[in-house]
Every structure is written in C-alpha cells, then in structure tokens.
Amino acid sequence: MERIEAELFTDGGNDAVVRMPGRQFPGILVQGDALHILRSDVAEVVEACERGDLEEARDSAGLLLANLDALLARYEAALGEHEISRPY
C-alpha cells in the first residue's frame, strides 16, 4: 500500500470529490458498498430486459439515471465552487 496526499473538494462522504496527484481533474470516490449497489441496479435493468419486462426495466433505469445524475451534479457543483472547468 502506498500513502499519498489527495485534494478533497467536498466533505469526505460516500461520494467525495477528490483529485489524485498528477491528475488534471478531480474524480468521485465511490465506496465499495455504493459500487455494489450501483452494480446491482444495473443488473436489475438487465434482468428485466431479459424477461421482456420493459416497464420494470424503464423504471429501474430511471432510478439508476436519477442516482447518476445526483452524483454528476455533486461533481459539477464541486468543480464550480473551485473554478475548475469540466473535463467534458
């Protein structure tokens, strides 16, 4: 394991915005449990599609999109607060 210093742009919660050394732009630190939940949400969409249940797939995908939109909004807000341009 290597110990490094990183820049923290938000509180250190489950979706902290941090910049690693040598990187131009910050990223979002996703905790392992949150990553597992995200993967499970994607799996629900895939399983619903495989069953042909498009209504459930659409509903699950909508919730997944809302969660990703919230992460992106937090990221963009942190960049804006620190006057960093978006990498996209």
Side-chain angles (χ1 to χ4, degrees):
M1 173 175 39
E2 178 182 359
R3 292 193 182 268
I4 60 169
E5 288 189 27
E7 295 174 276
L8 182 62
F9 293 89
T10 61
D11 61 41
N14 285 337
D15 49 6
V17 178
V18 297
R19 181 165 44 199
M20 301 297 290
R23 299 300 302 214
Q24 181 177 0
F25 295 100
I28 291 196
L29 174 65
V30 177
Q31 296 294 325
D33 58 336
L35 179 60
H36 184 265
I37 291 168
L38 181 60
R39 189 254 175 235
S40 296
D41 291 346
V42 172
E44 283 182 26
V45 174
V46 170
E47 291 164 7
C49 288
E50 287 173 347
R51 289 191 310 273
D53 190 345
L54 296 182
E55 185 174 340
E56 183 180 335
R58 185 174 33 255
D59 290 345
S60 295
L63 292 172
L64 177 59
L65 180 59
N67 290 336
L68 289 173
D69 283 345
L71 278 176
L72 186 59
R74 178 168 166 84
Y75 177 74
E76 290 176 346
L79 292 181
E81 289 172 17
H82 294 88
E83 299 179 354
I84 299 172
S85 64
R86 295 178 189 174
Y88 46 87

